[in-house]
Amino acid sequence: MKNINDSHKTSSLNDCRLITLNKHHHENGNLTVVESNKELPFDIKRIYYIYDVPGGAERGGHSHIECASFLIAVSGSFNVEITDGVDKQVFTLNRSNMGLYIAPGIWRTLNNFSSGSVALSIASHDYNPEDYIYDYNQFLELTASKRNND
Ligand code: TYD
């Protein structure tokens, strides 16, 4: 069994970034393509999407030990707040061809979903409940001890 302290990545907000995707413009509509290791800095393993979010609801509220993510507002808009345990940044995602790359070891919260919005999440790993840190205090402890030891 892996030790969380050893495997939890310590990323900084500098490891996260907005990525503008291609847009194949056509008078009959636009098309955007996302492929492993081209637009994104990881192999795509899994895709899921969040929709029908009630007004005022919040999603996320966790970090991942190993999994990297890429979030896109394919429809509508929502905010993503990310923190590495020291710095915090809020991004508003509202374009179908722009997404936020979130490195492993970063705490994220999604909120302010517009009505009818769809949050597409592209992930580097299979779903694994053991890859999640849901306790913010544990996250702060893990990132602080890593920062002090690295
Ligand atoms: P959860 O991780 O709580 O959603 P979020 O953090 O994005 O708000 O997941 C909600 C439910 O969906 C939970 O019961 C676990 C399940 N789930 C899967 O079965 N597979 C997956 O890949 C994901 C992301 C969630």
Side-chain angles (χ1 to χ4, degrees), residues 25-115:
H25 177 67
H26 191 276
E27 61 188 9
N28 294 338
N30 298 324
L31 182 152
T32 292
V33 191
V34 187
E35 290 176 271
S36 281
N37 289 311
K38 286 192 181 170
E39 291 79 9
L40 307 187
F42 59 80
D43 265 331
I44 297 171
K45 194 75 185 190
R46 180 168 51 106
I47 292 175
Y48 61 94
Y49 42 99
I50 296 171
Y51 52 98
D52 290 346
V53 178
E58 200 165 84
R59 302 291 308 221
H62 62 253
S63 73
H64 285 287
I65 296 168
E66 285 187 331
C67 187
S69 323
F70 183 67
L71 299 178
I72 312 169
V74 287
S75 183
S77 65
F78 57 91
N79 286 353
V80 189
E81 183 176 306
I82 55 174
T83 179
D84 52 17
V86 177
D87 297 311
K88 246 182 208 169
Q89 211 172 344
V90 179
F91 293 87
T92 298
L93 298 183
N94 56 10
R95 286 169 59 192
S96 308
N97 71 324
M98 157 99 53
L100 179 64
Y101 167 69
I102 306 179
I106 297 287
W107 187 272
R108 89 288 313 273
T109 307
L110 282 59
N111 57 30
N112 206 23
F113 286 86
S114 68
S115 172

Side-chain angles (χ1 to χ4, degrees), residues 95-147:
R95 286 169 59 192
S96 308
N97 71 324
M98 157 99 53
L100 179 64
Y101 167 69
I102 306 179
I106 297 287
W107 187 272
R108 89 288 313 273
T109 307
L110 282 59
N111 57 30
N112 206 23
F113 286 86
S114 68
S115 172
S117 59
V118 180
L120 181 71
S121 178
I122 300 178
S124 63
H125 287 64
D126 286 330
Y127 178 62
N128 174 10
E130 293 188 1
D131 190 58
Y132 284 70
I133 304 291
Y134 282 113
D135 179 337
Y136 191 64
N137 287 327
Q138 185 190 9
F139 169 75
L140 289 178
E141 280 167 22
L142 282 169
T143 49
S145 67
K146 288 286 263 190
R147 262 190 299 277

